[in-house]
Structures are given as C-alpha cells and as structure tokens.
Amino acid sequence: MKNEPAQSTQDARAAADSPYDHWVFWCESSSCRFSGAAESRAALVAALRAQGTSNVAVVRSGCLGLCGAGPNAVTYPEGTVYLHADREHADRLAANLARGTPDQLLAVKTPAWYREHLVARLGRIVEHLVSRLRADEGGR
Ligand code: FES
C-alpha cells in the first residue's frame, strides 16, 4: 500500500500558502503525555534544529483517537500515522519528516480512505493555522 498524500481543493489551498512543506501533529493528550509525548516532541524539535530543518512545523495536538499506542503523531500533507513515536526515534523521524517520506520502521500502514479523511481534516486545520500566522505577520 502506497502512502501518498491525498489531493483535494482544501489540501491545495492549505499547501499553497503554507510557510512549511510538512506538518506533524503530535498528540499530547493524557495517554500520550503519560507515555512521554512531551519529551519525544522536544527531542524531535531538537533533532530538526540540529539538522538545520526549517520546512517542518511541529504542532501539539489533542487526542488523535489512537490512545494506548502513544506517543502518537500524524503528518500533513502525507497523512502518515506514527505510533510509539518515542524520543529514541527523534533523529530518524526528523530526517524523514524533512523529506516528507514515511519512516519505514515507524509508519503504520493505513487504508487509503482513512488517510484521505485524515488529510482532509488536517488540511482544514493547517489552513486555519496558516491564516493565523499570516494575520500575526500582518499585525507586526
Ligand atoms: S491520548 Fe494520544 S491518541 Fe489519544
């Protein structure tokens, strides 16, 4: 099963104006937080900085409905799902996120319909976040 990004008008709009090529939504809700989500996100951000990556946005999120396998994360526009995204995987995740390629060891295979639904929902969130970024830039 290929892990390709879903294409929609929403995706195209969000991607066109985004200052980032890739987004990762990192669950820090209760179960994932208990499993070390804050520490693994911090390790990922440090790894992205260490490799000089500036095209990836890391966004804390609420529950992704994948509790029990945390820390969990999903990406946009790829729609890759990561379970057990522990801090020891930060370097390899950072490298894959910068390229927009799913990490072959950590990515979970998902049905196309699920990925398309996920990407469409994330596209609306990214569009909202990008519009807020642009508004903040205009207010400076
Ligand atoms: S608490 Fe992280 S997926 Fe539910």
Side-chain angles (χ1 to χ4, degrees), residues 11 14-24 48 53-59 76-78 97-98 126 129-130 133-134 137:
D11 298 338
D17 198 33
S18 174
Y20 303 104
D21 297 325
H22 310 285
W23 296 68
V24 59
L48 287 166
T53 299
S54 60
N55 68 336
V56 177
V58 180
V59 181
Y76 178 86
E78 299 81 13
L97 287 168
V126 166
L129 293 173
V130 169
L133 278 172
R134 297 299 181 216
E137 289 171 357

Side-chain angles (χ1 to χ4, degrees), residues 6-108:
Q7 293 297 312
S8 71
T9 305
Q10 192 85 32
D11 298 338
R13 266 205 320 260
D17 198 33
S18 174
Y20 303 104
D21 297 325
H22 310 285
W23 296 68
V24 59
F25 292 84
W26 205 268
C27 176
E28 288 197 21
S29 198
S30 57
S31 182
C32 286
R33 180 171 282 279
F34 184 73
S35 299
E39 294 79 9
S40 61
R41 181 183 51 79
L44 174 66
V45 169
L48 287 166
R49 286 191 181 134
Q51 69 184 28
T53 299
S54 60
N55 68 336
V56 177
V58 180
V59 181
R60 283 181 284 176
S61 84
C63 181
L64 301 169
L66 304 164
C67 319
N72 301 319
V74 294
T75 69
Y76 178 86
E78 299 81 13
T80 303
V81 175
Y82 290 112
L83 306 180
H84 301 292
D86 299 308
R87 64 185 307 165
E88 63 263 29
H89 304 304
D91 288 339
R92 59 178 299 138
L93 265 180
N96 280 289
L97 287 168
R99 290 191 300 264
T101 56
D103 186 292
Q104 296 302 317
L105 181 66
L106 302 173
V108 175

